[in-house]
């Protein structure tokens, strides 16, 4: 490399070596020195607001199974991104988030667009946050950021880089290091877990998002079938990790202490793999576990293991743990398998007015394309999604792990970009409530500009239905701001360049959905639905 190389040159060569050649961003003045002379072999994905930037990169990294590089603008842009940065943190997504800092000579005087206490702002939602002390340290900081983001448990990291660092002379190349992405469970402890599972009369398995993230879908099926035991989905899972049409699958556990405790009644041992123990939503008091029930917990995340209120933990790569456990447990041929869950019957049509959420999902099930991937952010209809559009393949369901909204619309763009990048063709369908749709609606523009045929189904019930259900549960009448009149989602979608349609019946929905799949462009279908109460 020439003696006249700069920090910019050396860093971009490093990024090439690490296959970080797709940059998700929304540029600002302090980032332009990083983006100058943008190389032809790099791709810049522009989103119109930083929350969308993060969500797109998050889903892209999940889909491609490698880190994604994000560039946002100083403290203002980073602040906009934090909501979806929380989702990436909880989802263990390896993101390298960068932001420009003001010129080093100006920072001491608090200039305009300086990032005050830059490394503090994204905490605690990043694994590592750093601003290099010298321009010469920038490439090495990127290498450390890459290693930290990938090492288990994976997660986002943050780098703040002063704008004048990029043109400083620097001789390269940067040091490129290999990074371990998995570690094995303790063999002795795993054997002890296997013995307890073998001795169990009526065990239950709970497979969480870590399983699918680790590529452990088939390993989960193998363990369940060897044990011949009930399998449950954890509360509010952001990935599906077991075929939800499998005879052993018994549905979701529930969302409250009472609901989960009651659901697990009759099991003498519960084995939670790759999930929190447990992610509760409403506060409905009860027993965490029924009397006489024990719990074993397998996870790659020490923090998740430490936070569990009951049970014994085993740390290790989730897929590896499943495979080793399957070899170590005795065959459960003597166990009586659980009764398969009853199949849902098609709901009777609503005599008048808008269809119910169950009718909407049942209609979509009839026209569901093969190998479709679903991204869901319709908080009040998650049960209907699981009932009518069960996950039947690995990496086919995505949702936000943080509980915040505004993730799914741009995340669907990230999934489609990731599929295109790895040469995979499958329909991408996003199911989103009318309230959630507003949070990152500008993500539609990127879908159109990138030529991505994502199909969005926006369910318009005219309210924050989940919050009305919570108001009933918490006995808080008179809460303002729960109704959403006057949302013209279709017109907004057309303004961004999408194909858009409004429907009021399931027959219209099925027809428009099929047409959208065949259109080959980003499409938004707005379906008016009947509000419903949720039972916790």
């Amino acid at each position: 490399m020439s003696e006249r190389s700069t920090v910019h040159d050396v860093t971009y060569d490093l990024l090439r070596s690490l296959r970080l050649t797709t940059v998700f961003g929304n540029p600002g003045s302090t980032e332009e020195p990083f983006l100058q002379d943008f190389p032809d072999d790099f791709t810049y994905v522009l989103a119109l607001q930083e929350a969308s930037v993060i969500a797109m990169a998050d889903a892209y990294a999940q889909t491609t199974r490698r880190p994604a590089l994000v560039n946002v603008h100083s403290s203002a842009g980073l602040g906009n991104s934090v909501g979806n940065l929380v989702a990436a943190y909880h989802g263990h997504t390896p993101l390298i988030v960068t932001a420009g800092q003001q010129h080093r000579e100006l920072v001491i005087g608090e200039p305009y667009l300086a990032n005050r206490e830059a490394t503090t702002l994204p905490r605690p939602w990043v694994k590592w946050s750093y601003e290099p002390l010298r321009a010469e340290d920038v490439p090495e900081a990127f290498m450390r950021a890459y290693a930290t983001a990938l090492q288990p448990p994976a997660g986002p990291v943050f780098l703040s880089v002063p704008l004048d660092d990029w043109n400083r002379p620097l001789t390269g190349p940067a040091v490129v290091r290999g990074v371990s992405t998995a570690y094995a469970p303790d063999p002795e402890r795993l054997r002890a877990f296997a013995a307890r599972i073998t001795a169990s009369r009526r065990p239950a398995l709970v497979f969480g998002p870590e399983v699918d993230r680790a590529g452990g879908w088939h390993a989960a099926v193998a363990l369940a079938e060897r044990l011949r035991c009930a399998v449950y989905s954890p509360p509010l899972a952001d990935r599906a990790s077991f075929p939800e049409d499998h005879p052993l699958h018994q549905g979701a556990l529930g969302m409250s202490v009472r609901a989960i405790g009651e659901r697990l009644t009759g099991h003498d041992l519960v084995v939670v793999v790759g999930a929190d123990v447990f992610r509760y939503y409403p506060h409905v008091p009860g027993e965490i576990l029924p009397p006489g029930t024990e719990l074993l917990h397998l996870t790659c995340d020490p923090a998740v293991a430490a936070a569990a209120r009951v049970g014994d933990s085993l740390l290790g790569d989730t897929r590896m743990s499943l495979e080793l456990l399957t070899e170590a447990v005795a065959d459960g041929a003597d166990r009586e398998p659980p009764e398969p869950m009853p199949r849902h019957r098609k709901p009777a049509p609503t005599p008048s007015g808008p269809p119910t959420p169950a009718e909407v999902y049942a209609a979509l099930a009839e026209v569901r394309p093969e190998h479709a991937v679903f991204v869901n952010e319709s908080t009040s209809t998650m049960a209907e999604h699981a009932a009518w559009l069960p996950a039947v393949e690995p990496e086919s369901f995505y949702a936000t792990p943080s509980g915040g909204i505004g993730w799914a619309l741009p995340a669907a763009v990230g999934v489609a970009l990731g599929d295109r990048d790895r040469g995979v063709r499958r329909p991408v369908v996003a199911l989103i409530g009318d309230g959630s749709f507003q949070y990152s609606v500008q993500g539609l523009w990127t879908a159109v500009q990138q030529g991505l045929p994502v199909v969005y189904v926006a369910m318009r019930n005219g309210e924050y239905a989940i919050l009305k259900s919570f108001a009933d549960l918490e006995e808080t009448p008179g809460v303002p701001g729960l109704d959403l009149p006057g949302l013209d989602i279709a017109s907004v979608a057309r303004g961004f360049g999408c194909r858009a349609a409004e429907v009021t019946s399931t027959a219209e929905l099925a027809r428009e959905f099929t047409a959208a799949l065949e259109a080959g462009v980003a499409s938004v279908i707005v379906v008016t639905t009947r509000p419903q109460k949720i039972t916790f």
Side-chain angles (χ1 to χ4, degrees), residues 24 45 52-64 375 398 407-422 426 428 443 446-447 452 454 456:
F24 292 83
V45 179
S52 287
V53 170
I54 292 285
M56 288 176 194
D58 181 349
Y60 176 87
Q62 291 191 56
T63 305
T64 59
V375 184
Y398 297 88
W407 182 86
L409 190 153
V413 175
V415 171
L417 283 169
D419 278 353
R420 187 170 71 185
D421 195 51
R422 64 195 182 113
R426 56 179 182 165
V428 178
T446 306
L452 302 171
V454 179
Y456 293 94

Side-chain angles (χ1 to χ4, degrees), residues 4-234:
R4 299 178 63 185
S5 294
T6 63
V7 169
H8 183 277
D9 300 329
V10 174
T11 301
Y12 269 82
D13 284 341
L14 172 66
L15 296 176
R16 286 188 184 91
S17 299
L18 300 176
R19 297 179 65 199
L20 293 171
T21 56
T22 298
V23 181
F24 292 83
N26 183 274
S29 55
T30 54
E31 288 70 44
E32 288 181 316
F34 166 61
L35 299 171
Q36 65 183 313
D37 299 322
F38 197 69
D40 292 339
D41 59 331
F42 278 62
T43 300
Y44 188 85
V45 179
L46 174 62
L48 301 184
Q49 206 262 9
E50 291 86 356
S52 287
V53 170
I54 292 285
M56 288 176 194
D58 181 349
Y60 176 87
Q62 291 191 56
T63 305
T64 59
R65 291 185 171 274
R66 59 178 201 268
L69 181 59
V70 177
N71 186 235
V72 296
H73 182 37
S74 189
S75 56
L78 181 60
N80 286 339
S81 75
V82 167
N84 280 332
L85 192 60
V86 176
Y89 179 84
H90 282 296
H92 295 307
T93 305
L95 297 184
I96 301 171
V97 182
T98 65
Q101 176 62 289
Q102 258 284 13
H103 196 288
R104 285 184 183 269
E105 291 185 12
L106 294 178
V107 168
I108 189 147
E110 300 285 356
Y112 190 65
L113 288 177
N115 193 347
R116 181 184 296 183
E117 298 186 29
T119 60
T120 302
L121 178 55
R123 294 185 185 277
W125 308 116
V126 292
K127 292 177 64 180
W128 183 58
S129 186
Y130 187 67
E131 184 175 279
L133 297 179
R134 306 179 307 155
E136 293 82 358
D137 296 333
V138 169
E140 188 171 352
F142 269 88
M143 185 65 245
R144 180 172 173 182
Y146 177 87
T148 304
L150 262 184
Q151 288 174 164
V157 297
F158 175 71
L159 288 178
S160 170
V161 184
L163 64 87
D164 54 311
D165 284 5
W166 295 105
N167 291 323
R168 292 285 295 272
L170 183 65
T171 301
V175 174
V176 179
R177 299 186 290 115
V179 179
S180 177
T181 59
Y183 62 96
D186 172 27
E188 183 176 346
R189 192 164 180 81
L190 185 135
R191 284 192 295 270
F193 273 39
R196 291 173 66 178
I197 295 169
T198 296
S200 171
R201 293 175 293 100
R202 191 166 181 255
L205 290 166
V206 180
F207 291 127
E210 278 182 32
V211 175
D212 198 44
R213 283 197 288 267
W217 174 287
H218 299 295
V221 173
L223 177 61
E225 292 180 347
R226 182 165 179 79
L227 295 176
R228 285 165 57 92
C229 70
V231 176
Y232 297 94
S233 299

Side-chain angles (χ1 to χ4, degrees), residues 356-415:
T356 64
E359 290 177 78
V360 168
Y361 280 98
L364 292 174
E366 293 186 354
V367 291
R368 173 181 184 164
E370 191 176 17
H371 306 305
V373 55
F374 291 96
V375 184
N376 189 295
E377 196 171 279
S378 176
T379 314
S380 62
T381 67
M382 295 293 284
E384 286 77 13
H385 185 127
W388 292 102
L389 298 172
V392 295
E393 296 176 318
E395 302 179 73
S396 62
F397 174 81
Y398 297 88
T400 175
S402 72
I405 56 179
W407 182 86
L409 190 153
V413 175
V415 171

Side-chain angles (χ1 to χ4, degrees), residues 331-349:
D331 187 279
D334 294 338
R335 291 193 185 96
E336 188 70 26
E339 290 291 327
M341 290 182 65
R343 295 179 63 88
H344 290 272
R345 295 182 179 179
K346 185 175 180 179

